[in-house]
Amino acid sequence: MKVLVIGGGGREHALCWGLSQSNRVENIYCAPGNAGISDIAECIDIKAEDIDSLIDFARYEWIDLTVVGPEAPLSLGIADAFEREGLKIFGPSKAAAQIEGSKVFSKNFMRRYGIPTAEYKTFTSYLHAEEYIRLKGAPIVIKADGLAAGKGVIVAKRVEEALDALRLIMKDRIFGNAGDRVVVEQCLEGEEASFMAMTDGKTVLPLATSQDHKRVFDGDEGPNTGGMGAYSPAPVITDALEMEVIQRIMLPAIKGFSKEGIPYKGILYAGLMVVNNRPYVLEFNCRFGDPEAQPVIARLKTGLFDLIEACVEGRLNDIDIRWKPEASLCVVLASRGYPGSYEKGKRIDGLEAVNEMQDVFVFHSGTSFNNDDMVTSGGRVLGVTALGRDISEAKQRAYAAIKKIHFDGMHYRRDIGDKAIKGQQQ
Ligand code: AMP
Ligand code: GLY
């Protein structure tokens, strides 16, 4: 089989690695990929959003299955376009991807199907939104409607801060059209967790739970990022809570899509806030989380290719998914300046030493080659992922590996996993 993976971050490296474990997979291509991915896949110089060129490539190379990593091509309708050409693709349709692409669609969808989420109102008028914010008071959350590279959500502690955010989004239009509409919602306090499920539109197959770390600094301080590290499983999601998430969130969402005639094949990811042991959806995503995909795929025992193939062919019902008993933990190494503007082109040393370590995987997010040197080329550079008997051991291994890696300006959180470790000791 020939497989094409679309995207070029840590999630896509983990996907390529997972697919490479299958002896049914002969060739893996990745568009555009990165320096680390080029070890296990042939990287193709086509952008993830260039759907026409990707279709040409898939037809020319007789690709059997295409796996989409990021949200942007899904929101542009890549799955619909491939299927029109008779090409097999893993990822939801354009209509389904609105669950991530539009916060207004997503919140109204949750309301239609009784999915627990924060109370909210949507606005197209600045003045009405301002009035509502003053009425509700702080803390309050302002969300730009469209995709804003993870920066369109402001959790405001004071009314003034909320109004500043509203002004930037709706008047100064810092996110362009993504700010045509806003969602203003109640601020929830609790512990966050990521819940990903694979679905073929009929069956919902929950994946191992995980927890992301969105803030850039230890102790959840500083600005939001794409994610600075993750571990799996997430003890905050107990077995009882997992049942509740499936019954009250995942199944109603998939039934809702089906009722609306919208096909959903791929990953449905719910970003949850657990408040007093009850799950609320903060957001839905239409793809694997990054970095969450890295520790989750590292724990997968069932073949990733078989799983994805069954999903695309509508046979998920036949799959009995199996996980390694070990826990896993991923720490993201970022460039100086990230999540603001960051430096590039710094030489990365020490990866050979880590390659020799057992049960440690370094998934690359932003790396490229400068002649023979591997150099940084993104804000998030590497995801150092380790397995261990429990989260504590996985943490120890991941940080031991990080000690061997160096690039100028490298920064990372020291406390990935601590919440889970503390929870387990209680
Ligand atoms: P989202 O992209 O909607 O997940 O929001 C990004 C981040 O903002 C989340 O991971 C939370 O940390 C925070 N957030 C979003 N919505 C809320 C809310 N209603 N209450 C508290 N925090 C929130
Ligand atoms: N790590 C959060 C996300 O992928 O959206």
Side-chain angles (χ1 to χ4, degrees), residues 63 72 77 100 178 218 282 349 360 388:
I63 297 293
E100 173 163 5
D218 286 7
L282 295 180
D349 291 309
V360 177

Side-chain angles (χ1 to χ4, degrees), residues 295-309:
V296 167
I297 291 174
R299 291 186 58 215
L300 193 59
K301 217 167 172 183
T302 310
L304 182 62
F305 179 78
D306 296 336
L307 203 55
I308 291 180
E309 185 188 46

Side-chain angles (χ1 to χ4, degrees), residues 100 103 107 117-119 139-143 150-155 184-190 192 212 214-215 224-225 269 271-273 280-285 287:
E100 173 163 5
K103 301 270 187 209
K107 294 292 289 190
T117 187
E119 187 202 318
I140 196 154
V141 181
I142 317 294
K143 299 184 171 182
K151 300 199 173 108
V153 174
I154 294 92
V155 181
V184 179
E185 73 176 39
Q186 168 203 11
C187 183
L188 298 176
E189 275 173 40
E192 286 187 57
D212 189 12
K214 288 222 165 78
R215 304 298 186 113
N224 262 334
T225 68
Y269 161 141
L272 302 175
M273 185 72 91
Y280 293 83
V281 178
L282 295 180
E283 63 166 345
F284 276 118
N285 293 323
R287 36 102 196 150

